[in-house]
Structures are given as C-alpha cells and as structure tokens.
C-alpha cells in the first residue's frame, strides 16, 4: 500500500493548502507550509515521527467522523500559542498554564477553522463528507497528547497513516505542527473515492 | 568515573513505544514517553535486578476483532510482560509492580484512562502480582522511567519536578 | 434602533469577534449562546431579528438548532457561520431553514452583507 502514499500526500497537500489560506485570512499574514509527509507508521514507532515527545505544546485535537475516521491534531509551541492569542485577542498571557477559557478558545477556534478548511478541500476532491467534532484543548507533553489523540480517534490499528506538515507564519515567528492520523478502513474509503482499489489494508 | 557512568547511562536507555514492551537487567534504564490516557506498567525483580516496562493503550483485547498486538491491551499486555521477565530469569514471587498514567487529558472526553487503570489492576491481580506503587488519573501526561539497577521508578510531568514512585 | 441579533458559537473568541463587527455597525447583540440548546432557549426569550449560528457545537449542533428554532418560529432568520464549508453541509443547513451560509474565516463585509440581505427579505 506504500504505492498509494503519493496519492495520499497529494490529497493532503490540497487540504493543507486550503487550511493555510484560511489561517492567513484569519491572522492577516503570510503563511508558508512545509512539504507534507504521508507515512505508514507502526504504533510503537509513532513517537519517532512526531519530534520530541516530551516537548511542551499547546495541543488542539479534532476528531473526524462521517465517511472517514481519524484525528486531526495541531501542536503549537508555547511561544507560538502565546503570540497567536496576543494577535487575535489583543491580550497577552505569560504561559499556557495561565490561559482564560476565552484565550484557550482562540486556539480551539483556529483548530476548528483549519480542520474545516482542510476537510472542505478534500471533500471537494473526493466527493466524501466528513464531520469534524468540537475541538479539545490542553497544554502538555507532545507524546501524551499524540497517544491520547490516537485513542480518541480510534486510530488503534497496528499501523496507522500518519500525515504531517508544518505551518510557518511571519518568518517562523509562529509555527504549528499539523498531524492527521487515519484508520486503515478510512484509507480504503479515501482511495476508493478516487477510483483506486485498496488491497491488504 | 562519574562521567563514565553518565555516558554509560545514556547508551543504556531503552525506549518503550506505544503498545510496546521491553525487558532487561541492570544496568538498563527503561523509559516510556507520552503516557496520556495510556498506562505504563513496570515489573521488577529486586533480587536479580531484572525489569520490564509496558505501555498499554486500551483496556481489553476482547472488544476488538483485530488484536494481533498483545502489548496494546491491558488484558493481554500484562501477562506478556510477566512472561518476558520470567524468560530473563526473574522470580515471580519477588516481582513488584508499579503503574502510572491513565490521565483524562481532555476535559469532556470519554475517560478511557480510568478504564485502562482498572483493567491493568485486574490483570495484575489475576496473575497474583503485587502492586506496590501507583501514580494514576489526574489530567496530566507522564513519562515513566524504570532503572533496573535500583528498581527506582521516576515519573515526569509538565510543570512539576520529577518524583520517585 | 439597531436590529437585534443573537450570536451562537461555542468559541468565546468567535462570539467576541462577530459581536465587535456587528456592534460597530449599529446592530444590537441581545444574546450569546454556546450551543444549539441555549440558542433555542434564548431565541424564545429574546425574539431576536436575526441569528448567527455555528454548526460544530457541543450538546446540540447548529443544524439541529436551526430546525428547533424554525419549529418555534417558521419565520426565524438564521445565518450559518461555520468552518465546515463542505457542499453537503451547506445544503443540509439551507434545507433545515438557514437563509445564508458564511464559511470561516470570513471577511467583515461578507457578514454585514448577509445580515442586510436577510433582514431586507420579507419571508
């Protein structure tokens, strides 16, 4: 099924491009994205893919239902999260532990809007319908957020599709990691929508 | 001497992934990162300095049709961890179990962490293993470190200093 | 006096953003709700001229919220403001009785135009 990674990467690219446009409109600044990576990863190897599992991040998790099942996760470094909140709310916070519910809702809403834009583009391309849920927010170590995201999205097969890119704003003053974890049946659904047969998933 | 010990220590570290387990004897240090709703289980034989560390994701394998991966579930992971440390020569009668994790990271989400902790405790009891310490629940993610030289288990969380379990 | 608006969105930040735009342009924001259920209650109490409605919300989502409000008041004027721009979702909202659909992130002008247009209509 590795042969399909290129296709998945391209679909993901379309989605991420739309999400980047949405983010640029929201913040009013140019947004760059790194080349998206699509990989099949065994569960036990997932921490090797995400970066430093002990890095403190502001994480926004969006479960996706409908015709596919998975989890979208946005991970902002603490300074990036604080800077985003300052720009959108006009109010400064010293660290992510001190956020008011309103400040946290800035990050949740960014997760909501970016996931919406990502899924809209993929929906147009595939004809599938996706139903994103209400975003969850926490500030904690990246690894614990990733493992909990997998469980929350029922992405618990021995191998998962891992899709990753990085958003960069204002010459990297703000960066955000975008992760998508998908279940194997979702993958088959995606490929089928493009007229590709998916064997051995 | 001290620096030699330090460098030796870093090469002795073994990482345990999600749905994974590793066993070994002194001077190995077993580490599992990213325990959110997942639960880490450490088994240790203080006489022979043999230990094992497991990172389970879900309570029961029977709830899933595809369950080829025993370390993913509490009910199959704990027996496998025991079998692996016994294989290394540990004595079941002196084995001590310590567990950590099972947090509810996101407010308002189904509390799978709590069910994981319950299932791990059930599995330990069913095998007659002694649970001597635990750091479970709450809403923070954890790193769990088992030093097989000493049997010490260290828990790291964001925003507080590491503590011994 | 300005037209009376009820804003429905689970994100406090988004309610604030919409409220700022509307009050700056002469509207009166009479209430804010964080989910569909609250929206229905407030609609009954406040009888606003127009409602802005998010879709993805806890307890009761915006589509259900539209249906429930239209069941109470078949003439209710509701504009969706959601991040879910998928065709199927837009169709569903319109069929439920929403008068317009704005995809987040939005331009201020787009929101103002939608309100003007919906309020000018006599149906």
């Amino acid at each position: 099924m590795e042969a399909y990674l290129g296709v998945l990467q391209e679909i993901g690219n379309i989605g991420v491009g739309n999400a980047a446009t949405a983010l640029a409109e929201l913040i009013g600044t140019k947004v760059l994205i790194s080349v998206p990576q699509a990989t099949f990863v065994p569960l036990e190897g997932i921490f090797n893919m995400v970066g430093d599992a002990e890095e403190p991040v502001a994480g926004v998790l969006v479960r996706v239902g409908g015709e596919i099942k998975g989890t979208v996760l946005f991970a902002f470094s603490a300074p990036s999260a604080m800077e985003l909140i300052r720009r959108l709310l006009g109010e400064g916070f010293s660290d992510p532990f001190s956020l008011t519910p309103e400040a946290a809702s800035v990050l949740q809403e960014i997760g909501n809007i970016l996931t919406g834009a990502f899924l809209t583009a993929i929906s147009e391309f595939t004809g599938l319908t996706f139903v994103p849920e209400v975003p969850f927010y926490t500030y904690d170590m990246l690894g614990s957020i990733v493992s909990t995201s997998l469980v929350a999205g029922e992405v618990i097969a021995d191998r998962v599709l891992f899709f990753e890119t990085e958003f960069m704003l204002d010459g990297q003053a703000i960066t955000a990691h975008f992760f998508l974890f998908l279940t194997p049946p979702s993958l088959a659904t995606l490929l089928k929508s493009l007229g590709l047969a998916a064997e051995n998933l | 001497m001290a620096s030699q010990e330090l460098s030796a220590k870093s090469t002795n570290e073994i990482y345990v992934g999600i749905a994974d387990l590793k066993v070994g004897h002194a001077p190995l240090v077993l580490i599992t990162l990213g325990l959110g709703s997942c639960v880490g289980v450490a088994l240790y034989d203080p006489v022979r300095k043999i230990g094992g560390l497991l990172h389970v994701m879900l309570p029961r394998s029977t709830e899933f049709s595809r369950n080829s991966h025993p370390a993913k579930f509490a009910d199959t992971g704990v027996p496998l961890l025991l079998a692996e440390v016994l294989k290394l020569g540990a004595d079941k009668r002196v084995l001590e179990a310590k567990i950590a994790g099972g947090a509810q990271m996101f407010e308002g989400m189904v509390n799978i962490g709590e069910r994981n902790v319950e299932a791990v405790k059930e599995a330990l009891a069913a095998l007659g293993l002694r649970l001597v310490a635990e750091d479970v629940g709450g809403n923070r993610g954890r790193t769990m470190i088992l030093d097989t030289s000493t049997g010490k288990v260290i828990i790291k969380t964001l925003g507080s200093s590491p503590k011994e379990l | 006096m300005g037209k009376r608006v009820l804003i429905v969105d689970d994100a406090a930040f988004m309610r604030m953003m919409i409220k700022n735009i509307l009050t700056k342009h002469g509207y009166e924001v009479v209430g804010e709700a964080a989910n569909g259920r609250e929206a229905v209650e407030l609609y009954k109490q406040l009888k606003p001229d127009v409602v802005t409605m998010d879709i993805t919300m806890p307890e009761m989502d915006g589509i259900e919220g539209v249906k429930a409000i239209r069941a109470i008041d078949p003439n209710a004027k509701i504009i969706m403001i959601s991040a879910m721009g998928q065709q199927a979702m837009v169709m569903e909202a319109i069929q439920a009785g929403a008068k317009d659909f704005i995809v987040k992130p939005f331009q201020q002008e787009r929101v103002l135009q939608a309100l003007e247009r919906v309020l000018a209509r006599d149906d």
Side-chain angles (χ1 to χ4, degrees):
Chain A
M1 63 181 161
E2 269 74 9
Y4 297 122
L5 282 178
V7 178
L8 294 167
Q9 204 149 313
E10 189 48 36
I11 300 175
N13 208 355
I14 293 166
V16 169
N18 205 37
T21 307
L23 185 59
E25 270 177 51
L26 189 70
I27 320 276
T29 179
K30 204 166 120 187
V31 176
L32 300 175
I33 48 174
S34 66
V35 178
Q37 299 295 325
T39 331
F40 291 104
V41 188
L43 271 183
E44 59 271 27
I46 204 119
F47 288 158
N48 302 330
M49 303 297 299
V50 297
D52 177 4
E54 287 189 304
E55 188 198 344
V57 297
V60 178
L61 178 161
V62 184
R63 289 191 283 198
V64 179
E67 292 184 77
I68 64 163
K69 213 167 218 177
T71 303
V72 171
L73 173 64
F74 295 92
F76 305 92
S77 69
S80 292
M82 296 306 96
E83 180 61 16
L84 274 174
I85 291 167
R86 198 187 60 74
R87 288 196 198 182
L88 286 172
L89 210 57
E91 199 179 334
F93 292 85
S94 55
D95 65 84
F97 282 120
S98 65
L99 293 190
T100 58
E102 192 176 58
S105 85
V106 171
L107 298 176
Q108 281 171 297
E109 191 59 15
I110 289 173
N112 178 42
I113 290 174
L114 265 61
T115 305
F118 177 82
L119 294 174
T120 298
I122 298 181
S123 172
E124 273 166 24
F125 195 69
T126 60
L128 298 171
T129 300
F130 312 108
V131 186
E133 293 183 16
V134 176
F136 290 95
Y137 167 78
T138 194
Y139 177 61
D140 211 319
M141 293 187 281
L142 176 61
S144 58
I145 294 178
V146 166
S147 62
T148 307
S149 300
L150 293 172
V151 175
E154 293 173 45
V155 185
I156 49 176
D158 295 348
R159 290 216 301 170
V160 302
L161 174 72
F162 169 83
F163 180 87
E164 187 248 326
T165 189
E166 193 174 11
F167 292 88
M168 289 155 286
L169 286 75
D170 277 3
Q172 309 218 356
I174 302 173
T175 60
H177 256 100
F178 172 97
F179 301 109
L180 169 71
F181 306 104
L182 278 185
T183 61
S186 306
L187 219 57
T189 307
L190 266 181
L191 293 171
K192 213 176 143 201
S193 75
L194 300 169
L196 299 168
E199 296 110 16
N200 308 320
L201 288 172
Chain B
M1 184 68 195
S3 67
Q4 218 174 352
E5 246 179 52
L6 268 180
S7 64
K9 198 165 188 173
S10 60
T11 54
N12 282 334
E13 289 178 349
I14 293 183
Y15 285 86
V16 182
I18 304 173
D20 192 11
L21 73 85
K22 293 278 163 43
V23 294
H25 41 69
L28 285 182
V29 176
L30 303 172
I31 302 170
T32 195
L33 307 170
L35 290 169
S37 58
C38 303
V39 175
V41 185
L43 282 185
Y44 186 65
D45 176 338
V47 181
R48 290 157 198 87
K49 299 189 189 301
I50 292 169
L53 187 60
L54 163 75
H55 184 134
V56 301
M57 250 182 132
L58 296 160
R60 262 166 268 280
S61 59
T62 47
E63 291 169 15
F64 299 88
S65 53
R66 282 186 179 188
N67 48 19
S68 58
H69 221 67
K72 201 187 295 179
F73 307 95
D75 64 345
T76 47
V78 175
L80 181 64
L81 177 66
L82 172 62
E84 292 295 318
V85 292
L86 293 181
K87 230 187 264 177
L88 275 189
D91 182 348
K92 192 184 162 190
R93 289 167 302 178
V94 300
L95 278 179
E96 293 175 344
K98 294 180 181 177
I99 65 173
Q104 179 161 31
M105 302 266 301
F106 296 97
E107 209 184 304
M109 204 179 264
V110 176
N111 196 344
I112 192 90
E114 194 176 22
R115 292 185 52 216
N116 279 335
V117 171
E118 277 168 24
V120 163
K121 286 183 177 177
E122 270 174 38
L124 290 170
L127 295 165
L129 293 165
R130 276 188 309 134
L131 178 61
V132 297
E134 63 179 67
D135 178 33
V136 297
N139 58 10
R140 311 274 5 152
R142 295 169 172 92
T143 292
M144 186 179 190
I145 303 167
L146 167 64
D147 186 339
T148 59
S149 301
T150 60
K152 274 187 188 173
V153 170
I154 304 293
I155 305 297
K156 295 202 300 190
T157 50
L158 185 60
S160 33
S161 36
K163 63 175 175 189
E164 191 187 332
L165 192 59
Chain C
M1 208 180 75
K3 292 286 186 185
R4 303 166 73 250
V5 189
L6 169 64
I7 298 175
V8 188
D9 198 306
D10 59 328
F13 154 68
M14 191 45 69
R15 294 198 301 271
M16 190 190 78
M17 227 172 127
I18 297 170
K19 187 177 179 175
N20 283 348
I21 293 173
L22 297 184
T23 45
K24 241 192 313 187
H25 290 83
Y27 289 93
E28 186 192 352
V29 175
V30 290
E32 294 182 30
N35 63 57
R37 207 179 308 283
E38 281 180 30
V40 175
E41 283 314 305
L42 285 179
Y43 189 88
K44 281 195 261 185
Q45 283 173 34
L46 303 168
K47 295 268 178 268
D49 297 309
V50 63
V51 180
T52 72
M53 180 80 79
D54 184 19
I55 292 183
T56 311
M57 294 184 290
E59 310 257 347
M60 183 195 276
D61 71 30
I63 304 271
E64 292 306 311
V66 170
K67 287 180 188 163
I69 289 174
R70 298 273 296 181
I72 299 164
D73 177 3
N75 297 317
K77 293 175 172 175
I78 307 170
I79 296 169
M80 308 311 284
I81 303 185
S82 166
M84 282 211 286
Q86 297 170 55
Q87 203 56 39
M89 220 64 73
V90 176
M91 293 302 294
E92 205 184 335
I94 300 296
Q95 272 161 15
K99 302 285 188 203
D100 202 345
F101 196 111
I102 298 170
V103 179
K104 295 176 187 170
F106 47 74
Q107 302 286 326
Q108 172 172 305
E109 293 70 36
R110 174 76 181 88
V111 177
L112 294 169
Q113 274 169 14
L115 261 83
E116 264 171 49
R117 206 161 40 213
V118 166
L119 286 164
R121 275 192 348 204
D122 259 336
D123 52 357

